[in-house]
Amino acid sequence: PEYESGGELFPCVLHRTLVGLTLGQFTLLGYLLIRAPGGWQPFFLIPLPMYTLYMVSRFTSMYDKPSERLSLERAVALDSENEREGYQDELIRNFDQFAYRQPFLDPSNAVLRPEPYRSTDESTNLTGEGGGEGEGEPVEGP
């Protein structure tokens, strides 16, 4: 599909999520330092943001940087291996162009009539009571 990015956005999303988690942990530590009666509980949580920041650097070095570059030699080797083992033909045969389409966007699931509560018929109120035609008929949908 045209919108498939191969996971290019994942490292950015992961990094920003973990930075947000770290900021939240620092906020919690600050709040606990201000509001805790004894003041000793936040000191047990001090390693938590440090561990999170360590994991951010570890994910960056282990996954982000290596995933930015896939050598042409390795890509050709992977394709050759898949072709030799017959996976490539199977993938092409079983490929579904609508695999990532939301069911709501599928034209075969389209509802052609509005639901009763959105009817423009003035004789039907929100509860469905009134003198409108077709009252009580179920709406066929997806």
Side-chain angles (χ1 to χ4, degrees), residues 50-81:
M50 288 185 232
Y51 179 73
T52 305
L53 290 173
Y54 167 73
M55 291 308 295
V56 167
S57 65
R58 186 152 167 91
F59 286 147
T60 300
S61 65
M62 288 181 64
Y63 301 110
D64 189 15
K65 290 181 181 176
S67 69
E68 288 176 357
R69 295 174 195 83
L70 177 63
S71 67
L72 182 58
E73 180 182 344
R74 181 68 180 140
V76 169
L78 288 172
D79 286 344
S80 299
E81 183 179 325

mmCIF file of all heavy atoms in Angstrom, residues 50-81:
data_model
loop_
_atom_site.group_PDB
_atom_site.id
_atom_site.type_symbol
_atom_site.label_atom_id
_atom_site.label_comp_id
_atom_site.label_asym_id
_atom_site.label_seq_id
_atom_site.Cartn_x
_atom_site.Cartn_y
_atom_site.Cartn_z
ATOM 1 N N MET A 50 16.338 7.669 35.755
ATOM 2 C CA MET A 50 17.682 7.377 35.254
ATOM 3 C C MET A 50 17.673 6.100 34.415
ATOM 4 O O MET A 50 18.314 6.037 33.360
ATOM 5 C CB MET A 50 18.654 7.242 36.419
ATOM 6 C CG MET A 50 18.982 8.549 37.087
ATOM 7 S SD MET A 50 20.226 8.293 38.336
ATOM 8 C CE MET A 50 19.445 9.075 39.715
ATOM 9 N N TYR A 51 16.943 5.102 34.873
ATOM 10 C CA TYR A 51 16.828 3.854 34.117
ATOM 11 C C TYR A 51 16.109 4.096 32.790
ATOM 12 O O TYR A 51 16.503 3.550 31.758
ATOM 13 C CB TYR A 51 16.092 2.802 34.948
ATOM 14 C CG TYR A 51 15.925 1.490 34.222
ATOM 15 C CD1 TYR A 51 17.007 0.647 34.022
ATOM 16 C CD2 TYR A 51 14.690 1.107 33.734
ATOM 17 C CE1 TYR A 51 16.861 -0.550 33.343
ATOM 18 C CE2 TYR A 51 14.527 -0.085 33.062
ATOM 19 C CZ TYR A 51 15.616 -0.907 32.869
ATOM 20 O OH TYR A 51 15.468 -2.077 32.194
ATOM 21 N N THR A 52 15.082 4.923 32.811
ATOM 22 C CA THR A 52 14.352 5.228 31.578
ATOM 23 C C THR A 52 15.255 5.943 30.583
ATOM 24 O O THR A 52 15.256 5.616 29.389
ATOM 25 C CB THR A 52 13.111 6.092 31.885
ATOM 26 O OG1 THR A 52 12.316 5.432 32.867
ATOM 27 C CG2 THR A 52 12.277 6.319 30.643
ATOM 28 N N LEU A 53 16.039 6.914 31.037
ATOM 29 C CA LEU A 53 16.974 7.602 30.144
ATOM 30 C C LEU A 53 18.053 6.652 29.616
ATOM 31 O O LEU A 53 18.470 6.754 28.460
ATOM 32 C CB LEU A 53 17.611 8.791 30.858
ATOM 33 C CG LEU A 53 16.662 9.963 31.139
ATOM 34 C CD1 LEU A 53 17.354 11.016 31.998
ATOM 35 C CD2 LEU A 53 16.178 10.577 29.839
ATOM 36 N N TYR A 54 18.484 5.723 30.457
ATOM 37 C CA TYR A 54 19.442 4.710 30.002
ATOM 38 C C TYR A 54 18.824 3.867 28.880
ATOM 39 O O TYR A 54 19.472 3.573 27.883
ATOM 40 C CB TYR A 54 19.868 3.826 31.174
ATOM 41 C CG TYR A 54 20.591 2.577 30.747
ATOM 42 C CD1 TYR A 54 21.899 2.634 30.275
ATOM 43 C CD2 TYR A 54 19.963 1.337 30.805
ATOM 44 C CE1 TYR A 54 22.561 1.492 29.867
ATOM 45 C CE2 TYR A 54 20.612 0.193 30.409
ATOM 46 C CZ TYR A 54 21.914 0.266 29.939
ATOM 47 O OH TYR A 54 22.557 -0.864 29.532
ATOM 48 N N MET A 55 17.557 3.498 29.041
ATOM 49 C CA MET A 55 16.890 2.681 28.022
ATOM 50 C C MET A 55 16.682 3.460 26.727
ATOM 51 O O MET A 55 16.741 2.883 25.637
ATOM 52 C CB MET A 55 15.557 2.139 28.541
ATOM 53 C CG MET A 55 15.708 1.087 29.631
ATOM 54 S SD MET A 55 16.827 -0.274 29.217
ATOM 55 C CE MET A 55 15.970 -1.044 27.866
ATOM 56 N N VAL A 56 16.460 4.778 26.818
ATOM 57 C CA VAL A 56 16.346 5.604 25.608
ATOM 58 C C VAL A 56 17.652 5.516 24.821
ATOM 59 O O VAL A 56 17.644 5.281 23.602
ATOM 60 C CB VAL A 56 16.015 7.072 25.967
ATOM 61 C CG1 VAL A 56 16.203 7.977 24.762
ATOM 62 C CG2 VAL A 56 14.617 7.201 26.509
ATOM 63 N N SER A 57 18.780 5.672 25.499
ATOM 64 C CA SER A 57 20.067 5.607 24.795
ATOM 65 C C SER A 57 20.337 4.199 24.274
ATOM 66 O O SER A 57 20.896 4.026 23.187
ATOM 67 C CB SER A 57 21.200 6.076 25.702
ATOM 68 O OG SER A 57 21.358 5.194 26.788
ATOM 69 N N ARG A 58 19.932 3.197 25.031
ATOM 70 C CA ARG A 58 20.129 1.807 24.596
ATOM 71 C C ARG A 58 19.282 1.479 23.363
ATOM 72 O O ARG A 58 19.764 0.861 22.422
ATOM 73 C CB ARG A 58 19.804 0.860 25.745
ATOM 74 C CG ARG A 58 20.118 -0.576 25.449
ATOM 75 C CD ARG A 58 20.421 -1.313 26.724
ATOM 76 N NE ARG A 58 20.435 -2.738 26.512
ATOM 77 C CZ ARG A 58 21.520 -3.420 26.186
ATOM 78 N NH1 ARG A 58 22.657 -2.771 26.041
ATOM 79 N NH2 ARG A 58 21.463 -4.712 26.022
ATOM 80 N N PHE A 59 18.009 1.903 23.359
ATOM 81 C CA PHE A 59 17.152 1.674 22.191
ATOM 82 C C PHE A 59 17.699 2.399 20.966
ATOM 83 O O PHE A 59 17.660 1.877 19.855
ATOM 84 C CB PHE A 59 15.721 2.140 22.452
ATOM 85 C CG PHE A 59 14.939 1.242 23.370
ATOM 86 C CD1 PHE A 59 13.984 1.775 24.214
ATOM 87 C CD2 PHE A 59 15.145 -0.119 23.399
ATOM 88 C CE1 PHE A 59 13.256 0.952 25.069
ATOM 89 C CE2 PHE A 59 14.430 -0.945 24.249
ATOM 90 C CZ PHE A 59 13.481 -0.401 25.086
ATOM 91 N N THR A 60 18.207 3.602 21.187
ATOM 92 C CA THR A 60 18.763 4.372 20.071
ATOM 93 C C THR A 60 19.966 3.650 19.463
ATOM 94 O O THR A 60 20.067 3.515 18.245
ATOM 95 C CB THR A 60 19.172 5.779 20.536
ATOM 96 O OG1 THR A 60 18.023 6.444 21.045
ATOM 97 C CG2 THR A 60 19.765 6.582 19.400
ATOM 98 N N SER A 61 20.854 3.165 20.326
ATOM 99 C CA SER A 61 22.055 2.509 19.800
ATOM 100 C C SER A 61 21.775 1.118 19.244
ATOM 101 O O SER A 61 22.417 0.699 18.275
ATOM 102 C CB SER A 61 23.130 2.428 20.881
ATOM 103 O OG SER A 61 22.710 1.602 21.934
ATOM 104 N N MET A 62 20.820 0.408 19.824
ATOM 105 C CA MET A 62 20.563 -0.967 19.381
ATOM 106 C C MET A 62 19.597 -1.065 18.202
ATOM 107 O O MET A 62 19.721 -1.979 17.378
ATOM 108 C CB MET A 62 20.007 -1.805 20.528
ATOM 109 C CG MET A 62 21.023 -2.138 21.583
ATOM 110 S SD MET A 62 20.341 -3.156 22.895
ATOM 111 C CE MET A 62 19.937 -4.639 22.020
ATOM 112 N N TYR A 63 18.599 -0.176 18.120
ATOM 113 C CA TYR A 63 17.555 -0.335 17.119
ATOM 114 C C TYR A 63 17.443 0.839 16.149
ATOM 115 O O TYR A 63 17.282 0.639 14.954
ATOM 116 C CB TYR A 63 16.190 -0.540 17.802
ATOM 117 C CG TYR A 63 16.174 -1.737 18.704
ATOM 118 C CD1 TYR A 63 16.113 -1.597 20.076
ATOM 119 C CD2 TYR A 63 16.237 -3.024 18.184
ATOM 120 C CE1 TYR A 63 16.101 -2.699 20.908
ATOM 121 C CE2 TYR A 63 16.237 -4.126 19.003
ATOM 122 C CZ TYR A 63 16.167 -3.957 20.367
ATOM 123 O OH TYR A 63 16.170 -5.042 21.191
ATOM 124 N N ASP A 64 17.522 2.049 16.672
ATOM 125 C CA ASP A 64 17.281 3.219 15.817
ATOM 126 C C ASP A 64 18.367 3.378 14.763
ATOM 127 O O ASP A 64 18.080 3.438 13.570
ATOM 128 C CB ASP A 64 17.172 4.472 16.693
ATOM 129 C CG ASP A 64 16.701 5.681 15.928
ATOM 130 O OD1 ASP A 64 16.191 5.504 14.800
ATOM 131 O OD2 ASP A 64 16.826 6.805 16.441
ATOM 132 N N LYS A 65 19.609 3.457 15.197
ATOM 133 C CA LYS A 65 20.701 3.670 14.241
ATOM 134 C C LYS A 65 20.866 2.506 13.267
ATOM 135 O O LYS A 65 21.011 2.734 12.065
ATOM 136 C CB LYS A 65 21.992 3.971 14.984
ATOM 137 C CG LYS A 65 21.960 5.335 15.638
ATOM 138 C CD LYS A 65 23.235 5.662 16.349
ATOM 139 C CE LYS A 65 23.089 7.040 17.001
ATOM 140 N NZ LYS A 65 24.257 7.390 17.787
ATOM 141 N N PRO A 66 20.854 1.244 13.715
ATOM 142 C CA PRO A 66 20.977 0.154 12.734
ATOM 143 C C PRO A 66 19.802 0.079 11.753
ATOM 144 O O PRO A 66 19.976 -0.321 10.611
ATOM 145 C CB PRO A 66 21.026 -1.106 13.595
ATOM 146 C CG PRO A 66 21.520 -0.652 14.911
ATOM 147 C CD PRO A 66 20.973 0.730 15.081
ATOM 148 N N SER A 67 18.611 0.486 12.186
ATOM 149 C CA SER A 67 17.464 0.390 11.284
ATOM 150 C C SER A 67 17.454 1.490 10.234
ATOM 151 O O SER A 67 16.728 1.392 9.247
ATOM 152 C CB SER A 67 16.162 0.438 12.074
ATOM 153 O OG SER A 67 15.955 1.715 12.624
ATOM 154 N N GLU A 68 18.266 2.525 10.418
ATOM 155 C CA GLU A 68 18.327 3.596 9.423
ATOM 156 C C GLU A 68 19.015 3.134 8.142
ATOM 157 O O GLU A 68 18.744 3.665 7.076
ATOM 158 C CB GLU A 68 19.077 4.804 9.991
ATOM 159 C CG GLU A 68 18.306 5.561 11.032
ATOM 160 C CD GLU A 68 19.111 6.697 11.642
ATOM 161 O OE1 GLU A 68 20.315 6.857 11.286
ATOM 162 O OE2 GLU A 68 18.553 7.410 12.469
ATOM 163 N N ARG A 69 19.872 2.143 8.274
ATOM 164 C CA ARG A 69 20.637 1.688 7.110
ATOM 165 C C ARG A 69 20.514 0.175 6.967
ATOM 166 O O ARG A 69 20.841 -0.572 7.872
ATOM 167 C CB ARG A 69 22.105 2.042 7.279
ATOM 168 C CG ARG A 69 22.354 3.515 7.305
ATOM 169 C CD ARG A 69 23.813 3.789 7.612
ATOM 170 N NE ARG A 69 24.002 5.171 7.993
ATOM 171 C CZ ARG A 69 23.806 5.643 9.211
ATOM 172 N NH1 ARG A 69 23.430 4.844 10.179
ATOM 173 N NH2 ARG A 69 23.982 6.911 9.470
ATOM 174 N N LEU A 70 20.055 -0.216 5.830
ATOM 175 C CA LEU A 70 20.063 -1.625 5.461
ATOM 176 C C LEU A 70 20.871 -1.686 4.181
ATOM 177 O O LEU A 70 20.478 -1.115 3.164
ATOM 178 C CB LEU A 70 18.641 -2.152 5.238
ATOM 179 C CG LEU A 70 18.510 -3.601 4.785
ATOM 180 C CD1 LEU A 70 19.055 -4.546 5.862
ATOM 181 C CD2 LEU A 70 17.078 -3.940 4.480
ATOM 182 N N SER A 71 22.012 -2.339 4.245
ATOM 183 C CA SER A 71 22.891 -2.343 3.078
ATOM 184 C C SER A 71 22.202 -3.040 1.909
ATOM 185 O O SER A 71 21.377 -3.938 2.080
ATOM 186 C CB SER A 71 24.209 -3.046 3.404
ATOM 187 O OG SER A 71 23.972 -4.423 3.627
ATOM 188 N N LEU A 72 22.551 -2.604 0.722
ATOM 189 C CA LEU A 72 21.991 -3.203 -0.483
ATOM 190 C C LEU A 72 22.353 -4.681 -0.554
ATOM 191 O O LEU A 72 21.534 -5.512 -0.948
ATOM 192 C CB LEU A 72 22.503 -2.459 -1.720
ATOM 193 C CG LEU A 72 21.963 -2.931 -3.065
ATOM 194 C CD1 LEU A 72 20.440 -2.831 -3.091
ATOM 195 C CD2 LEU A 72 22.570 -2.118 -4.183
ATOM 196 N N GLU A 73 23.554 -4.994 -0.112
ATOM 197 C CA GLU A 73 23.993 -6.392 -0.111
ATOM 198 C C GLU A 73 23.099 -7.250 0.786
ATOM 199 O O GLU A 73 22.671 -8.334 0.409
ATOM 200 C CB GLU A 73 25.441 -6.460 0.367
ATOM 201 C CG GLU A 73 26.004 -7.860 0.422
ATOM 202 C CD GLU A 73 27.425 -7.864 0.961
ATOM 203 O OE1 GLU A 73 28.062 -6.803 1.000
ATOM 204 O OE2 GLU A 73 27.881 -8.946 1.357
ATOM 205 N N ARG A 74 22.779 -6.742 1.975
ATOM 206 C CA ARG A 74 21.921 -7.486 2.904
ATOM 207 C C ARG A 74 20.484 -7.582 2.374
ATOM 208 O O ARG A 74 19.840 -8.616 2.510
ATOM 209 C CB ARG A 74 21.941 -6.816 4.282
ATOM 210 C CG ARG A 74 21.115 -7.504 5.317
ATOM 211 C CD ARG A 74 21.700 -8.852 5.697
ATOM 212 N NE ARG A 74 20.848 -9.469 6.698
ATOM 213 C CZ ARG A 74 20.545 -10.747 6.724
ATOM 214 N NH1 ARG A 74 21.059 -11.571 5.844
ATOM 215 N NH2 ARG A 74 19.758 -11.234 7.650
ATOM 216 N N ALA A 75 19.984 -6.507 1.757
ATOM 217 C CA ALA A 75 18.632 -6.525 1.196
ATOM 218 C C ALA A 75 18.529 -7.554 0.069
ATOM 219 O O ALA A 75 17.554 -8.311 -0.009
ATOM 220 C CB ALA A 75 18.244 -5.143 0.692
ATOM 221 N N VAL A 76 19.538 -7.619 -0.798
ATOM 222 C CA VAL A 76 19.551 -8.596 -1.888
ATOM 223 C C VAL A 76 19.642 -10.007 -1.319
ATOM 224 O O VAL A 76 18.972 -10.930 -1.802
ATOM 225 C CB VAL A 76 20.716 -8.299 -2.868
ATOM 226 C CG1 VAL A 76 20.918 -9.447 -3.847
ATOM 227 C CG2 VAL A 76 20.460 -6.999 -3.593
ATOM 228 N N ALA A 77 20.451 -10.185 -0.271
ATOM 229 C CA ALA A 77 20.576 -11.509 0.348
ATOM 230 C C ALA A 77 19.248 -11.952 0.963
ATOM 231 O O ALA A 77 18.847 -13.120 0.818
ATOM 232 C CB ALA A 77 21.664 -11.488 1.422
ATOM 233 N N LEU A 78 18.552 -11.038 1.616
ATOM 234 C CA LEU A 78 17.244 -11.381 2.195
ATOM 235 C C LEU A 78 16.236 -11.734 1.114
ATOM 236 O O LEU A 78 15.471 -12.694 1.246
ATOM 237 C CB LEU A 78 16.723 -10.223 3.043
ATOM 238 C CG LEU A 78 17.423 -9.989 4.374
ATOM 239 C CD1 LEU A 78 16.929 -8.696 5.005
ATOM 240 C CD2 LEU A 78 17.181 -11.153 5.314
ATOM 241 N N ASP A 79 16.206 -10.957 0.020
ATOM 242 C CA ASP A 79 15.285 -11.254 -1.081
ATOM 243 C C ASP A 79 15.617 -12.594 -1.730
ATOM 244 O O ASP A 79 14.722 -13.376 -2.061
ATOM 245 C CB ASP A 79 15.325 -10.138 -2.131
ATOM 246 C CG ASP A 79 14.610 -8.890 -1.669
ATOM 247 O OD1 ASP A 79 13.834 -8.982 -0.690
ATOM 248 O OD2 ASP A 79 14.823 -7.819 -2.274
ATOM 249 N N SER A 80 16.904 -12.872 -1.915
ATOM 250 C CA SER A 80 17.311 -14.146 -2.512
ATOM 251 C C SER A 80 16.923 -15.321 -1.628
ATOM 252 O O SER A 80 16.455 -16.353 -2.109
ATOM 253 C CB SER A 80 18.823 -14.162 -2.747
ATOM 254 O OG SER A 80 19.179 -13.151 -3.633
ATOM 255 N N GLU A 81 17.110 -15.145 -0.340
ATOM 256 C CA GLU A 81 16.746 -16.204 0.606
ATOM 257 C C GLU A 81 15.236 -16.459 0.594
ATOM 258 O O GLU A 81 14.799 -17.609 0.569
ATOM 259 C CB GLU A 81 17.202 -15.806 2.004
ATOM 260 C CG GLU A 81 16.951 -16.854 3.065
ATOM 261 C CD GLU A 81 17.456 -16.390 4.423
ATOM 262 O OE1 GLU A 81 18.478 -15.697 4.480
ATOM 263 O OE2 GLU A 81 16.805 -16.743 5.419
#
